[in-house]
Every structure is written in C-alpha cells, then in structure tokens.
Amino acid sequence: MGHLDHAAFGWLTSVLSYAMACIGAALGLRCTVRALGAHGRSRRNWLLTAASAIGTGIWTMHFVAMLGYGVDGTDIRYNVPLTVLSLLVAITVVGAGVFAVGYGLDRGRSLVLGGLTTGLGVASMHYLGMAALRLHGEVRYDPLLVGVSVGIAVVAATVALWAALNISSPIAVAVASLVMGGAASSMHYTGMAAVHVHVTPSGEALPGATAMQFVFPLAVGLGSYLFLTSAFVALSPTVGEREASASAQRPVESDRSSAPPASAVP
C-alpha cells in the first residue's frame, strides 16, 4: 500500500483550503440573508450568487488541499471532465438546497430538505473529485469513514442553512463562517482518511493533467471570483439601507411639490 502524504507543502495548503471554505461560507451566508429580505428577481439572483459562492468555496477548498496530496510510488493526474463536473455538481446541488430554504413555506421542513440536499451535494463533489484521480494503482475506501464524512457534510450544511435563516449580524455571520469552514475541512480530511491506495508500479504515462497544469490555475480563478464577489456584496446596499435612503428622499420631494410656484418675471 502506498504511503499517503496529505501535506506535501506543509501547512500551507491546509490553511489556504480552510480560508477558501470560510470565504465561500461567509459570502454564501450573506447572500442568503440578503435573499430572504428581497423579493422577486432580486431574491433569485441573491440565491444564485449564494449557491455559486458556497459551491465554489467548497470545491476550491477541496482541490487546494489536494495540491498537497501525494502517494509514494506513483504520480497523480486529474481527469479534466470529471474535475469540472465535480464543480458543476457542487454548485447545482448546493443551489437546490439554498433555493429550498429561500422559497420554502415551512422553514423547518425546508431546512431539513435543504441541509440534506446540500450536504449530499458537497459529499458528491468530494468523491467525484476523488474519482477524477489517475494514478498507478487502485484506490479503495473505508466505508465507515466514508459514511462519517457524508454525515459531517449533511450536518455542516444544515447548520449553515440554519445560520442563514437565523443570523443576520456581520459578526455572527463571520463566526458561523469560521465554524462552517472548519466543518467543511473536517469532512474533506475525514474523507481523505478513508482512502487506501494499493500502488502498482508502472512506467506508463498517466492520462490527464497535473495539479499545477489544471487544478491550480482553476483554483486561483475561482478564488479570485470569491474575492471579487465579496467586494460586490460588501458594496451593495441592503434592503434596510435602500428603504432608509428612499424615506430620506421623500420629504425633499414633498417639500418641492408643495412649494408655491415662482412668480413669473414680467
């Protein structure tokens, strides 16, 4: 069995992956909070942004952590279509969970359904990403640890959606994001602890792309998306700010309409 190294670059990839998970969680929570206070097209757009943020953050967390992953006795490559599919699955299934909460009439039922859907989506992303691995050998999993990792994903997703429904202050959202980031990272490393690789030495070239050829540039691009979207959300006025601005303008408009017309100059 090949020796698995989860930190080929030391703590760097672990810390960066945790940071990406926290940023995605914070952005997703803020967008969901905004969505719950909005209506119509605005609510839909905020929920779409939340889904893309959470899905992108978790995907980036997974593959940044995978940059430090290595197996003695074999190189590692990634199947590009499967890797991209794992990202699309993450965003799509997380979106289903977020929309269930955003539009559900029964909040309790919506929370359970949304948490289950989102958690299974996160787990699916993880194991699809692992299925994209190409190496000289066979990858096997400990069923118990796989089940634990899926359970962590479902619980973490449910707690995240509960936070979106019940937490609105920026400080509380920040704390919840740190907890969610830790839960997502725990799910990842629990899933990785379930991995056992039986190496079969071979001189044949592996198909697929290396992590630095494909995963790293994509992770950098998605990380940039998260930062830019965070700036957009931070600068966008909330519903309360818009209402306050509108109410402040009404007296001015009322004064102008009630003022007597200026006398005509002969």
Side-chain angles (χ1 to χ4, degrees):
M1 185 171 68
H3 172 70
L4 308 182
D5 186 357
H6 297 284
F9 297 102
W11 288 100
L12 177 62
T13 51
S14 299
V15 172
L16 285 177
S17 66
Y18 172 67
M20 290 297 101
C22 291
I23 292 170
L27 183 55
L29 281 178
R30 291 304 299 165
C31 290
T32 305
V33 169
R34 294 286 189 92
L36 295 175
H39 303 281
R41 184 184 303 175
S42 179
R43 171 173 289 196
R44 181 201 64 193
N45 291 341
W46 279 118
L47 290 174
L48 287 173
T49 306
S52 66
I54 296 173
T56 298
I58 293 173
W59 188 95
T60 306
M61 175 275 297
H62 171 82
F63 280 99
V64 167
M66 290 300 293
L67 291 175
Y69 181 71
V71 181
D72 288 347
T74 178
D75 293 329
I76 293 178
R77 298 289 186 272
Y78 291 88
N79 179 288
V80 173
L82 267 182
T83 304
V84 174
L85 178 62
S86 68
L87 171 61
L88 297 178
V89 166
I91 294 175
T92 301
V93 184
V94 167
V98 168
F99 270 78
V101 168
Y103 285 100
L105 299 178
D106 185 335
R107 286 206 167 182
R109 184 178 301 174
S110 299
L111 181 61
V112 173
L113 177 61
L116 181 62
T117 303
T118 303
L120 292 177
V122 170
S124 298
M125 178 280 300
H126 176 88
Y127 289 105
L128 264 177
M130 292 302 296
L133 283 180
R134 296 293 179 264
L135 46 76
H136 293 302
E138 181 183 2
V139 178
R140 297 177 182 175
Y141 295 92
D142 182 330
L144 177 60
L145 287 178
V146 169
V148 172
S149 70
V150 173
I152 292 174
V154 171
V155 171
T158 304
V159 171
L161 294 176
W162 176 89
L165 289 172
N166 296 279
I167 294 176
S168 58
S169 71
I171 295 178
V173 168
V175 173
S177 302
L178 294 176
V179 174
M180 288 165 54
S185 296
S186 298
M187 178 268 162
H188 170 80
Y189 286 106
T190 301
M192 294 307 297
V195 175
H196 301 283
V197 178
H198 295 266
V199 176
T200 304
S202 174
E204 295 182 4
L206 288 166
T210 66
M212 288 300 176
Q213 287 173 337
F214 174 68
V215 174
F216 179 72
L218 185 56
V220 170
L222 293 176
S224 300
Y225 162 77
L226 289 176
F227 281 108
L228 291 174
T229 307
S230 298
F232 167 76
V233 172
L235 295 173
S236 297
T238 63
V239 174
E241 291 170 343
R242 289 176 180 172
E243 291 177 350
S245 176
S247 62
Q249 291 176 359
R250 289 192 193 104
V252 176
E253 295 174 354
S254 177
D255 291 343
R256 288 177 179 174
S257 62
S258 61
S263 57
V265 178

